[in-house]
Amino acid sequence: MTEENKNQNKEPRVDVHGRGASSTKPDYFSIHFDVSMEHPDDDICYEKVSKNAEKLLNALKGWAAENDMIRTTSFSFSHYMYSERRAKWPYGTQIAEVSTTIYVESGRIDDIAGLITLARKSGASEISDVTFRLTDSLRKAEREKALAAAAEAARFDAEVIAKSFRMSVGGLVSVDICNGFDHDTYSDRYYKSDMLCCDKPSFYDPEEDTAPDFIDAGEIKTSAYIDAVFYLTGNLV
């Protein structure tokens, strides 16, 4: 055992907790667009959704820039027994439901309102799950800032305690990162749903129905927590 280690074992120690955080504007978002319809005729339902989904997909591809991601994430074709009375279809009619979901991911945060307007004009019947996140490179940079702030906070507390006893912080004995990292992913839900049916061929009315003027992405906070042990030097008072 070195002389320094022997001194560390003899000197008083202080165990402190440090918390650090860093906030920044997100640099990419994701959103889901659905095209859906219900109708007693399977063929009409399938063909209508297929046509609208193709129209929407082409519009989204035309909007997309380099590094944007567009993909179909789900498709469903099912039936249910219509149980409402005095409604649009006779009681007990078998109804077909067809739906497909298109997922979009992009770093163009400022273009999201325009994207929503485009999707609604292009056949989307439901829009949901607008989520803002950080790319890997930005997440690492924010993690570094949060960790540095946590270490600084722990060191500050150790020095205040040492000074109170007329001692000094001699050095670091150990440090642990607690609970990893907390990235507060901010999610703003813009939800528009209007399932197509035989008497409503298109839900979008540009005169009455408009997209939001803007969606505020806010900031994402990255937090880091550490436990640190320092040994103290000087005469304990």
Side-chain angles (χ1 to χ4, degrees):
M1 181 179 293
T2 65
E3 190 65 26
E4 182 180 0
N5 288 336
K6 291 180 180 179
N7 291 334
Q8 289 180 18
N9 290 332
K10 294 178 181 178
E11 298 291 352
R13 297 183 179 187
V14 58
D15 189 342
V16 291
H17 178 75
R19 178 185 183 277
S22 182
S23 297
T24 190
K25 182 179 178 180
D27 58 350
Y28 83 97
F29 71 89
S30 61
I31 186 170
H32 290 82
F33 300 107
D34 290 355
V35 178
S36 57
M37 182 179 181
E38 58 179 23
H39 194 278
D41 189 307
D42 288 15
D43 292 337
I44 291 177
C45 193
Y46 182 84
E47 290 173 6
K48 183 66 175 181
V49 170
S50 298
K51 180 180 178 180
N52 281 7
E54 183 179 6
K55 179 183 177 182
L56 174 59
L57 194 56
N58 288 335
L60 294 176
K61 288 180 178 180
W63 172 88
E66 186 177 1
N67 297 323
D68 290 345
M69 179 186 296
I70 298 176
R71 67 173 185 267
T72 301
T73 58
S74 69
F75 173 82
S76 66
F77 193 149
S78 60
H79 296 85
Y80 73 94
M81 198 66 69
Y82 195 71
S83 59
E84 296 184 31
R85 299 181 183 278
R86 297 186 298 278
K88 55 188 175 183
W89 294 306
Y91 179 83
T93 301
Q94 179 174 274
I95 305 299
E97 285 185 307
V98 179
S99 67
T100 186
T101 301
I102 300 173
Y103 173 84
V104 176
E105 189 175 285
S106 173
R108 292 183 287 156
I109 299 289
D110 296 334
D111 292 345
I112 189 169
L115 175 62
I116 289 174
T117 302
L118 174 66
R120 294 180 66 182
K121 290 180 178 179
S122 302
S125 52
E126 184 175 305
I127 302 170
S128 61
D129 296 327
V130 181
T131 304
F132 300 97
R133 298 186 178 89
L134 305 179
T135 55
D136 290 342
S137 59
L138 183 55
R139 181 181 293 111
K140 289 179 180 178
E142 289 299 291
R143 180 180 298 181
E144 181 179 354
K145 293 177 183 178
L147 265 177
E152 183 179 353
R155 175 80 186 197
F156 176 81
D157 287 354
E159 290 176 347
V160 169
I161 293 173
K163 185 178 179 181
S164 298
F165 291 101
R166 297 182 182 178
M167 301 184 73
S168 301
V169 174
L172 181 66
V173 177
S174 65
V175 61
D176 293 313
I177 299 176
C178 307
N179 301 322
F181 299 89
D182 178 20
H183 298 283
D184 298 332
T185 299
Y186 176 79
S187 181
D188 188 1
R189 292 183 60 84
Y190 175 74
Y191 186 83
K192 167 65 183 176
S193 178
D194 195 347
M195 184 171 285
L196 301 175
C197 63
C198 58
D199 56 354
K200 189 183 290 185
S202 177
F203 77 88
Y204 183 79
D205 185 347
E207 298 298 327
E208 299 180 1
D209 206 4
T210 58
D213 293 331
F214 68 93
I215 294 179
D216 188 356
E219 290 189 337
I220 294 179
K221 182 173 69 175
T222 300
S223 300
Y225 311 86
I226 68 168
D227 281 329
V229 178
F230 296 90
Y231 71 88
L232 306 181
T233 60
N235 295 322
L236 180 62
V237 177

